[in-house]
Amino acid sequence: MLNGTILDATALIDFCWLNEWGWLQQHYSPLYIAQELLDSDQLEPSTRQAANQYLTPLTLSTVKMFASFLEFNVRSPLLSVADRSTIAIARHQLLICASDDGLVVETCKAYNIAYTRTLRLLAEMLNTGHKTVIEVTTMADTLIKERGKHISPRVLADWKISLQKYGMS
Amino acid sequence: MKEIIAANLIRYRKSLGLSQEQLAEQAGVTRQSINNYENAKTLPDSKILSALATTLGITLDDLLRSQGEGLPNFRFRAHVSFNTNAQFAAQVLRMLQTYNALEQAVGLPTYTPESTPCYQVEGNEKRIQAIAALFRHRLGLGDAPITNLFHSVGEIGLKVLRQPIPIKNFFGLSACSDIEGAFVLVNTHNITIERQLFTLAHEIGHLIFHRVEYQDTLIEEGNKQEETTREHVADYFASHLLVPQAEFEQMYALTQDIVKLKRHFRVSYLVILNRLAEMGIIDLAKEKAKICGIYKKQHDGAALQNSMELPPTLSAKEYPENEHYEYLIWQSLKIGKISEMKAAELLNLTVEKLRVHRQENEVYAVA
């Protein structure tokens, strides 16, 4: 079994924009990516370049992994090959799945796979003293307003309220 | 798992007529490796399997699952080439699976036209015309020309996909499931919009008149005579769905110009010629030869091929492809029933671009 974190497309893209690879490596390494995501046509070249630079590709390589990969398709046919590969690897290599995709997270929950979301990672940047409340709030707003990241207004509002315990410093 | 992969590799490789050496070379592995995989001796990892799948024109899932496993339970009526092309069959089943999943995610009801068998036109003309009129009524249309049949049938829940399928003489196919409704695939590969519209109407005809013949895989074509009469029924229905008789007679009284008539009904000049021939007004072969002659003169000796349409042709811009399907994808995304990655894949976008499009859509959305 490996330790570490595997990023799906949403987490990968978020961290490309945030450019906080140093912090992520310090707290969540080793960092992985599913080979199927890395090879996908659905990533911009700059995102793929960052993935090659910061993440280690993993493949599905056992019967159990392939079985999970197929099982996820039966349960959620609207997950992509890359999503299912990411979740299957997380499940069988006991990795944390970093994702901000509702359906990916829902699947992780259904199979008791450890996961983390972008807002949670931003909050941890506060916890670790890496960023201030203002900085992480600005980072979240930038992802949403400038990069088209979708977070429901209620989730975002709740998250911002949860940051109040850190004060404004 | 190794055995399933082995069987699939052999099936899809042979379907393309590739040797083990050729597959190995194209996928960047050794022939010995292919031999090992096909004899279920070793389990390749997903990187190798993906490379093999890409070379074979299929997906990773197609290599991993038993034939037909986990796919929607549809019955088909299609061109015989469907049966002999394992890659194409797998592609169609994936399309069906995705379309079904999207409909279920959004919670839209499926649609299947009511079935009533009819195997020959002769003696059934009025009945087929009446059923075409009923179907127009179902679409909320009277006798007026149909602005966009793709759009109209999408609104009532008929699954329609327009895809480029580079198979010669393949125009489309239809499939049907008791639970999951009816599906029509229309080939767009080098095919005019007029012909695509006619194919859709033709396949709806098969769904109505020949549904009992739909089978689990693909029908073995009946004898030539039977097949011809069934095709004739579907063609007759399609013609009357697109060009209602009363409106046609009214228009013909106003103008005998083939171009004006085809533009009015948004059909091919061949549909108009066939109708006039059916009504005993023209000799089809002579009139077609005359039109081809005029075309040749006007186009510096270039021939009007069967695959071409007499200008002016319908513009592809006026008939955007798969609008209903794309609507289902965006709706599914909105309610979190599809992953961003999958939505991007289906819309042929990068995830980054999908996010921007989504943001733009939401800016203009009515709250």
Side-chain angles (χ1 to χ4, degrees):
Chain A
M1 297 300 166
L2 302 167
N3 285 312
T5 307
I6 187 164
L7 279 71
D8 84 341
T10 59
L12 168 63
I13 292 166
D14 286 349
F15 268 82
C16 282
W17 296 128
L18 295 172
N19 200 19
E20 289 290 345
W21 292 107
W23 179 85
L24 195 64
Q25 279 173 328
Q26 192 182 342
H27 296 277
Y28 281 87
S29 66
L31 302 176
Y32 299 103
I33 183 171
Q35 184 71 51
E36 287 64 43
L37 175 55
L38 194 57
D39 293 340
S40 139
D41 293 332
Q42 270 59 58
L43 294 179
E44 292 287 337
S46 57
T47 309
R48 194 187 321 280
Q49 195 184 341
N52 275 314
Q53 189 177 346
Y54 297 107
L55 310 174
T56 305
L58 291 177
T59 58
L60 302 169
S61 53
T62 66
V63 171
K64 281 185 177 174
M65 281 186 183
F66 285 124
S68 287
F69 175 80
L70 289 176
E71 187 184 342
F72 298 150
N73 190 43
V74 174
R75 186 185 188 277
S76 302
L78 296 178
L79 285 172
S80 72
V81 164
D83 296 323
R84 290 186 279 128
S85 185
T86 303
I87 307 167
I89 292 168
R91 184 184 195 188
H92 296 283
Q93 300 281 23
L94 299 182
L95 301 173
I96 297 169
C97 178
S99 170
D100 228 6
D101 188 286
L103 197 54
V104 172
V105 167
E106 189 185 305
T107 310
C108 286
K109 282 182 189 168
Y111 289 89
N112 289 320
I113 298 163
Y115 68 91
T116 187
R117 308 193 65 146
T118 300
L119 290 183
R120 197 190 296 168
L121 290 169
L122 288 175
E124 282 180 29
M125 288 182 191
L126 275 176
N127 267 333
T128 56
H130 179 64
K131 294 280 175 191
T132 64
V133 171
I134 292 169
E135 283 171 332
V136 293
T137 307
T138 306
M139 287 161 87
D141 287 340
T142 303
L143 283 177
I144 294 163
K145 287 176 190 157
E146 293 177 25
R147 306 301 181 191
K149 182 176 174 62
H150 183 82
I151 300 177
S152 87
R154 210 195 74 200
V155 170
L156 186 66
D158 289 348
W159 178 73
K160 285 183 178 174
I161 290 167
S162 76
L163 299 182
Q164 286 172 1
K165 66 184 175 193
Y166 297 99
M168 291 306 285
S169 58
Chain B
M1 185 62 74
K2 281 188 281 191
E3 289 73 18
I4 293 170
I5 292 169
N8 286 329
L9 272 178
I10 294 168
R11 186 159 60 94
Y12 289 116
R13 178 176 61 77
K14 288 193 172 170
S15 172
L16 289 182
L18 293 176
S19 64
Q20 286 190 341
E21 286 83 357
Q22 287 168 319
L23 175 59
E25 193 185 334
Q26 290 178 31
V29 296
T30 64
R31 193 205 64 80
Q32 188 55 47
S33 298
I34 300 289
N35 194 51
N36 286 341
Y37 305 148
E38 290 193 356
N39 284 297
K41 284 183 185 166
T42 47
L43 179 68
D45 69 21
S46 58
K47 185 173 185 178
I48 293 169
L49 281 176
S50 295
L52 290 168
T54 303
T55 306
L56 293 169
I58 51 170
T59 66
L60 184 54
D61 289 86
D62 296 327
L63 280 180
L64 293 172
R65 63 186 160 207
S66 310
Q67 196 174 356
E69 180 195 330
L71 289 166
N73 184 23
F74 272 80
R75 286 168 291 129
F76 296 91
R77 179 187 169 87
H79 192 275
V80 72
S81 57
F82 182 66
N83 214 17
T84 54
N85 186 333
Q87 278 75 4
F88 178 48
Q91 183 186 359
V92 171
L93 288 168
R94 284 196 303 273
M95 287 177 194
L96 276 167
Q97 186 192 34
T98 304
Y99 213 133
N100 272 343
L102 288 168
E103 278 184 337
Q104 282 172 16
V106 175
L108 285 186
T110 59
Y111 172 74
T112 314
E114 202 175 321
S115 171
T116 171
C118 178
Y119 300 110
Q120 62 172 38
V121 173
E122 292 69 30
N124 288 308
E125 291 89 347
K126 290 288 171 203
R127 186 173 151 235
I128 299 171
Q129 286 181 33
I131 290 166
L134 269 177
F135 192 79
R136 290 176 69 93
H137 182 71
R138 177 74 180 81
L139 296 176
L141 304 166
D143 271 355
I146 304 175
T147 310
N148 185 337
L149 185 63
F150 299 117
H151 184 77
S152 300
V153 298
E155 292 223 314
I156 61 169
L158 180 67
K159 289 182 262 292
V160 179
L161 270 184
R162 292 161 70 199
Q163 296 284 320
I165 313 283
I167 295 178
K168 202 179 172 193
N169 293 328
F170 172 72
F171 296 102
L173 63 79
S174 48
C176 195
S177 151
D178 293 337
I179 301 164
E180 286 148 348
F183 169 76
V184 177
L185 172 66
V186 177
N187 191 3
T188 60
H189 184 69
N190 296 334
I191 294 174
T192 63
I193 298 289
E194 288 85 350
R195 177 73 210 222
Q196 292 177 39
L197 286 163
F198 192 83
T199 297
L200 173 58
H202 173 96
E203 291 301 331
I204 293 169
H206 279 312
L207 284 164
I208 292 172
F209 298 112
H210 308 133
R211 192 128 93 243
V212 291
E213 295 182 343
Y214 281 52
Q215 298 191 2
D216 288 343
T217 53
L218 172 70
I219 59 163
E220 295 291 329
E221 276 186 304
N223 69 48
K224 200 82 180 166
Q225 178 66 28
E226 277 178 2
E227 197 54 29
T228 305
T229 57
R230 281 155 177 69
E231 289 301 304
H232 191 195
V233 169
D235 280 346
Y236 192 85
F237 170 83
S239 172
H240 284 270
L241 177 64
L242 297 168
V243 183
Q245 187 63 24
E247 172 79 1
F248 185 58
E249 286 172 14
Q250 211 173 344
M251 279 305 294
Y252 187 70
L254 293 174
T255 179
Q256 286 79 51
D257 184 331
I258 301 293
V259 169
K260 282 184 181 161
L261 288 168
K262 90 180 193 86
R263 282 178 73 170
H264 179 74
F265 289 103
R266 297 174 177 245
V267 294
S268 164
Y269 76 105
L270 290 170
V271 172
I272 301 294
L273 291 186
N274 272 297
R275 287 295 284 278
L276 292 171
E278 267 172 30
M279 291 159 70
I281 294 172
I282 59 160
D283 178 305
L284 179 62
K286 275 187 191 166
E287 201 65 32
K288 198 177 162 197
K290 192 177 111 190
I291 287 174
C292 288
I294 297 168
Y295 180 91
K296 206 169 183 177
K297 258 188 203 167
Q298 290 178 345
H299 293 83
D300 300 326
L304 180 62
Q305 309 281 355
N306 274 342
S307 59
M308 292 162 66
E309 179 54 39
L310 183 67
T313 57
L314 293 174
S315 154
K317 272 187 191 166
E318 283 183 58
Y319 293 84
E321 288 178 16
N322 306 324
E323 277 183 305
H324 183 67
Y325 183 69
E326 290 188 3
Y327 162 80
L328 292 176
I329 296 167
W330 286 110
Q331 280 300 110
S332 300
L333 191 62
K334 191 175 177 184
I335 57 178
K337 299 280 189 182
I338 186 171
S339 74
E340 285 192 0
M341 190 73 188
K342 181 74 175 183
E345 183 188 305
L346 296 178
L347 294 165
N348 200 20
L349 296 168
T350 61
V351 177
E352 293 90 333
K353 286 202 171 73
L354 175 96
R355 287 182 169 190
V356 174
H357 282 297
R358 187 180 189 183
Q359 195 175 35
E360 286 166 357
N361 290 348
E362 284 172 3
V363 166
Y364 296 109
V366 178

